[in-house]
Amino acid sequence: MKKIFNFSPGPATLPYEVLKQAQDELINWNNLNFSVMEISHRSNDFINLLQNIKQDLRELINIPSQYDILFCQGGARTQFAAIPMNLLFYNETADYANIGHWSLQAIKEAKKYCVPNIINPVKKKNGIFYIKKMEDWILNKNSKYIHYCPNETIEGIAINQEPTLENKIIIADLSSSILAKEIDIKNYGLIYASTQKNLGTSGLTLIIIRKDLIFNNRKKRQEIPSVLDYQIISKYNSMFNTPPTFSLYLSGLILKWLKKIGGIKYISQINKQKSTLLYSAIDNSNFYINKIEPCNRSITNITFYLKDKKKEKIFLQKAQENGLFYLKGHKVVGGIRASIYNAMPIEGVKILIDFMNDFEKNYV
Ligand SMILES: *Cc1c(COP(=O)(O)O)cnc(C)c1O
């Protein structure tokens, strides 16, 4: 059988070893003769699992002790509401950078809780999109934080440098870039990521937050639902209500896998290689085109178009016949998108490039 590669943007491909281990442990986890799904989240086995996840995260991305690690349900979109609810009192405001689809969804939700100061840093020059430098963004001096999405999953546009704004609490949606490259947590007040792209399966959001943003003397809105209240989530060790235990278990396996293969330092090099190979293949052809300034190109979501749009349908069909799945771009931008998170081996990218070259020869 032909080898299959899954370029889905999320839920996304998972490492084979992780799936295999989950399969093996499905009916007997931790020598309990049960699956992880069938035990209480209050049991020692499960509490240990959660503790291990936090410890592995601290090691992998160097999370300092003044930061808390929380898990919440409802995906990243729930945080679009939970963040302003937790961090803004009535009449307070925040800066929101509109970089792409997910930034915009966060803005729409934030508008229910504040009047955000919206920054539009994406510009277009000669048909190429780029993002204005963060230092040149015009912020509201009264804003309590700035929210942005450094990797826009749908457009494949990204801010690849660490944030540089001083004296502002920086909040970043890292749903499609968490664990893909090294970051310095100390640059952020809060980062969050839904787990179904690079950290397991759906059902869960990771939140890494500076503790002084949870526990302080600020006045707090009365209407925050308890399950979204960072103080309550923290006090209850992310188990105020029953967490999605299988999702947590799977994220735990992903973290162990990542540590085993060499951590973020190693995987970020592989990710750099994968994306460089693919962008070079696009740039070196007269058949495919990417419309983003090289420094603002995503390393995890590579978007491109066929110069002859009419050939996209047959491209996708032939790709699938060749074992290359879910390459269709999101409907808001069209074109092609290859999501190449940590679990996509370099081999998959090379096979995609071979396919693209063959397709170009046959259909030019
Ligand atoms: C996928 C994604 C989301 C939405 O995540 P849900 O878990 O569906 O809420 C938000 N932001 C970014 C950057 C994403 O990639």
Side-chain angles (χ1 to χ4, degrees):
M1 201 181 86
K2 190 173 269 142
K3 221 168 168 177
I4 280 174
F5 294 97
N6 169 5
F7 295 89
S8 170
T13 194
L14 291 161
Y16 178 81
E17 298 94 303
V18 164
L19 290 173
K20 198 74 194 133
Q21 187 179 350
Q23 183 185 44
D24 289 346
E25 294 179 343
L26 197 60
I27 48 176
N28 182 7
W29 176 66
N30 252 8
N31 290 321
L32 291 172
N33 288 310
F34 306 109
S35 78
V36 67
M37 290 179 280
E38 299 164 287
I39 61 165
S40 168
H41 55 296
R42 310 277 175 216
S43 64
N44 283 335
D45 289 279
F46 196 81
I47 290 170
N48 278 337
L49 170 75
L50 186 58
Q51 239 11 70
N52 274 321
I53 290 174
K54 290 190 190 181
Q55 193 48 43
D56 287 341
L57 274 168
R58 282 204 192 271
E59 285 173 33
L60 275 164
I61 41 182
N62 264 322
I63 304 173
S65 59
Q66 70 266 35
Y67 286 77
D68 210 345
I69 301 172
L70 312 178
F71 286 100
C72 197
Q73 297 182 54
R77 270 186 188 271
T78 303
Q79 296 310 308
F80 294 171
I83 289 164
M85 261 195 257
N86 275 277
L87 301 185
L88 299 178
F89 195 59
Y90 310 104
N91 289 327
E92 287 183 336
T93 188
D95 297 301
Y96 274 78
N98 179 14
I99 298 175
H101 177 83
W102 288 116
S103 300
L104 189 60
Q105 304 313 305
I107 291 170
K108 284 185 186 163
E109 197 67 16
K111 280 182 173 169
K112 296 177 182 172
Y113 307 97
C114 68
V115 182
N117 172 45
I118 300 165
I119 300 148
N120 289 296
V122 178
K123 305 290 169 197
K124 200 173 180 182
K125 194 175 163 188
N126 303 330
I128 302 294
F129 292 98
Y130 69 97
I131 304 176
K132 245 171 68 178
K133 275 214 214 69
M134 238 183 187
E135 301 95 88
D136 299 333
W137 295 1
I138 295 170
L139 309 184
N140 177 337
K141 66 178 187 328
N142 295 319
S143 71
K144 296 292 158 190
Y145 62 79
I146 171 155
H147 177 280
Y148 80 119
C149 176
N151 187 79
E152 283 285 0
T153 322
I154 289 177
E155 291 84 353
I157 196 167
I159 297 176
N160 290 310
Q161 290 83 24
E162 286 286 281
T164 46
L165 303 168
E166 274 166 31
N167 306 320
K168 268 287 173 213
I169 293 165
I170 294 179
I171 299 187
D173 176 359
L174 298 187
S175 292
S176 50
S177 51
I178 188 101
L179 304 177
K181 63 185 183 87
E182 291 181 288
I183 55 168
D184 186 353
I185 295 288
K186 290 194 296 300
N187 290 331
Y188 306 84
L190 185 164
I191 63 174
Y192 64 105
S194 45
T195 46
Q196 70 271 18
K197 276 118 191 195
N198 220 5
L199 186 52
T201 188
S202 57
L204 202 56
T205 323
L206 165 68
I207 302 161
I208 301 171
I209 179 171
R210 227 170 56 208
K211 285 176 183 165
D212 65 285
L213 297 178
I214 313 178
F215 297 104
N216 51 46
N217 300 322
R218 290 182 48 249
K219 278 185 289 185
K220 194 169 120 179
R221 290 179 195 249
Q222 290 310 297
E223 73 277 14
I224 309 176
S226 302
V227 289
L228 301 183
D229 183 329
Y230 295 154
Q231 284 183 2
I232 293 177
I233 301 173
S234 176
K235 276 187 198 149
Y236 283 82
N237 190 26
S238 298
M239 298 204 287
F240 177 65
N241 69 325
T242 314
T245 52
F246 189 78
S247 298
L248 276 166
Y249 159 78
L250 209 70
S251 289
L253 295 188
I254 289 285
L255 297 172
K256 294 272 183 243
W257 168 79
L258 193 51
K259 279 176 75 176
K260 197 175 101 200
I261 63 170
I264 308 280
K265 223 189 183 89
Y266 169 79
I267 205 75
S268 66
Q269 284 166 8
I270 302 288
N271 288 337
K272 189 83 205 152
Q273 279 179 36
K274 289 187 310 196
S275 56
T276 304
L277 280 174
L278 192 43
Y279 284 122
S280 302
I282 296 164
D283 291 342
N284 292 333
S285 86
N286 289 316
F287 194 80
Y288 305 102
I289 184 168
N290 167 281
K291 299 182 183 174
I292 299 165
E293 185 69 29
C295 71
N296 288 130
R297 288 172 170 179
S298 167
I299 59 164
T300 43
N301 307 101
I302 281 79
T303 52
F304 60 95
Y305 296 87
L306 273 63
K307 284 191 175 163
D308 181 357
K309 253 189 120 31
K310 291 192 298 291
K311 290 173 185 159
E312 272 172 14
K313 205 170 158 203
I314 182 85
F315 175 92
L316 292 166
Q317 187 193 322
K318 292 284 168 197
Q320 192 159 325
E321 286 169 16
N322 281 275
L324 305 167
F325 282 77
Y326 303 119
L327 284 161
K328 193 173 163 54
H330 191 279
K331 59 181 184 297
V332 306
V333 291
I336 314 293
R337 169 176 52 175
S339 294
I340 51 172
Y341 303 115
N342 292 350
M344 173 59 64
I346 200 157
E347 182 196 1
V349 173
K350 288 180 175 164
I351 290 177
L352 171 61
I353 293 169
D354 287 344
F355 167 76
M356 287 165 63
N357 291 336
D358 285 346
F359 187 86
E360 177 172 351
K361 274 186 210 120
N362 293 328
Y363 287 85
V364 76

Coordinates of all heavy atoms in Angstrom, one line a residue, residues 74-78 80 102 149 151-153 173-176 194-197 204 341, ligand 1:
G74 N -13.2 23.6 25.7 CA -13.9 24.5 24.8 C -13.0 25.1 23.7 O -13.4 26.0 22.9
G75 N -11.7 24.6 23.6 CA -10.9 25.1 22.5 C -10.4 26.5 22.6 O -10.8 27.2 23.6
A76 N -9.7 27.0 21.6 CA -9.2 28.4 21.7 C -10.3 29.4 21.7 O -10.2 30.4 22.3 CB -8.2 28.6 20.5
R77 N -11.4 29.1 20.9 CA -12.5 30.0 20.8 C -13.1 30.4 22.2 O -13.5 31.5 22.4 CB -13.6 29.5 19.9 CG -13.4 29.8 18.5 CD -14.7 29.3 17.8 NE -14.6 29.4 16.3 CZ -14.9 30.4 15.6 NH1 -15.4 31.5 16.2 NH2 -14.8 30.4 14.3
T78 N -13.1 29.5 23.1 CA -13.6 29.8 24.4 C -12.7 30.8 25.1 O -13.2 31.7 25.8 CB -13.7 28.5 25.3 OG1 -14.5 27.6 24.6 CG2 -14.3 28.7 26.6
F80 N -11.2 33.2 23.6 CA -11.5 34.5 23.0 C -12.5 35.3 23.9 O -12.4 36.5 24.0 CB -12.2 34.4 21.6 CG -11.3 33.8 20.5 CD1 -11.9 33.4 19.3 CD2 -10.0 33.5 20.7 CE1 -11.1 32.9 18.3 CE2 -9.2 33.0 19.7 CZ -9.8 32.7 18.5
W102 N -8.2 34.2 12.5 CA -8.4 33.9 13.9 C -8.3 35.1 14.8 O -9.0 35.2 15.8 CB -7.5 32.7 14.4 CG -7.9 31.4 13.8 CD1 -7.2 30.6 12.9 CD2 -9.1 30.7 14.1 NE1 -7.9 29.5 12.6 CE2 -9.1 29.6 13.3 CE3 -10.3 31.0 14.8 CZ2 -10.2 28.7 13.3 CZ3 -11.3 30.1 14.8 CH2 -11.3 28.9 14.0
C149 N -2.3 37.0 17.2 CA -2.1 35.6 16.9 C -0.8 35.5 16.0 O -0.9 35.9 14.8 CB -3.3 35.1 16.1 SG -3.1 33.4 15.5
N151 N 0.7 33.1 14.5 CA 0.6 32.2 13.4 C -0.8 32.0 13.0 O -1.6 31.3 13.6 CB 1.3 30.9 13.7 CG 1.4 30.0 12.5 OD1 2.4 30.1 11.7 ND2 0.5 29.0 12.3
E152 N -1.1 32.7 11.9 CA -2.5 32.6 11.4 C -2.7 31.4 10.5 O -2.2 31.3 9.4 CB -2.9 33.9 10.6 CG -3.2 35.1 11.5 CD -4.6 34.9 12.2 OE1 -5.3 34.0 12.0 OE2 -5.0 35.9 12.9
T153 N -3.3 30.4 11.1 CA -3.4 29.0 10.5 C -4.0 29.0 9.1 O -3.7 28.1 8.3 CB -4.3 28.2 11.5 OG1 -4.1 28.6 12.8 CG2 -4.1 26.7 11.3
D173 N -2.3 33.9 20.9 CA -3.0 32.6 20.5 C -2.0 31.8 19.7 O -1.7 32.0 18.5 CB -4.2 33.0 19.6 CG -4.9 31.7 19.1 OD1 -4.4 30.6 19.4 OD2 -5.9 31.9 18.4
L174 N -1.4 30.7 20.3 CA -0.4 29.9 19.7 C -1.0 28.6 19.2 O -0.2 27.6 19.1 CB 0.8 29.7 20.7 CG 1.6 30.9 21.2 CD1 2.8 30.4 22.0 CD2 2.0 31.7 20.0
S175 N -2.3 28.5 19.0 CA -2.9 27.2 18.7 C -2.2 26.5 17.6 O -2.1 25.2 17.7 CB -4.3 27.5 18.2 OG -5.1 27.9 19.3
S176 N -1.7 27.1 16.6 CA -1.0 26.4 15.5 C 0.5 26.5 15.5 O 1.1 26.1 14.5 CB -1.6 26.9 14.1 OG -1.6 28.3 14.0
S194 N -5.3 25.7 21.5 CA -6.1 24.5 21.5 C -5.2 23.3 21.1 O -4.1 23.5 20.5 CB -7.3 24.6 20.7 OG -7.1 25.2 19.4
T195 N -5.5 22.2 21.6 CA -4.6 21.1 21.5 C -4.6 20.3 20.2 O -3.6 19.5 20.0 CB -4.8 20.1 22.7 OG1 -6.2 19.8 22.8 CG2 -4.3 20.6 24.0
Q196 N -5.5 20.5 19.3 CA -5.7 19.6 18.2 C -4.8 19.8 17.0 O -5.0 19.2 16.0 CB -7.2 19.5 17.8 CG -7.7 20.8 17.1 CD -8.2 21.8 18.0 OE1 -8.0 21.7 19.2 NE2 -9.0 22.7 17.5
K197 N -3.9 20.8 17.2 CA -3.0 21.0 16.0 C -1.6 20.4 16.3 O -1.1 19.6 15.5 CB -2.8 22.5 15.7 CG -3.9 23.0 14.9 CD -4.8 24.0 15.5 CE -6.1 24.2 14.6 NZ -6.7 25.5 15.0
L204 N -9.5 20.4 24.4 CA -8.7 21.0 25.5 C -8.0 22.3 25.0 O -7.7 22.4 23.8 CB -7.7 19.9 25.8 CG -7.0 19.9 27.1 CD1 -8.0 19.8 28.3 CD2 -6.1 18.7 27.2
Y341 N 2.8 20.3 10.9 CA 3.1 20.4 12.3 C 4.2 19.4 12.6 O 4.6 18.6 11.8 CB 1.8 20.2 13.1 CG 0.7 21.1 12.8 CD1 -0.5 20.6 12.3 CD2 0.8 22.5 13.1 CE1 -1.5 21.5 12.0 CE2 -0.2 23.3 12.8 CZ -1.4 22.8 12.2 OH -2.4 23.7 11.9
Ligands
LIG1 C1 -7.7 26.3 15.2 C2 -7.5 27.6 15.8 C3 -8.4 28.2 16.6 C4 -9.7 27.6 17.0 O1 -9.6 26.5 17.8 P1 -10.9 25.8 18.5 O2 -10.2 24.7 19.3 O3 -11.7 25.3 17.3 O4 -11.6 26.8 19.2 C5 -8.1 29.5 17.1 N1 -7.0 30.1 16.8 C6 -6.0 29.5 16.0 C7 -4.8 30.2 15.7 C8 -6.3 28.3 15.4 O5 -5.4 27.7 14.6

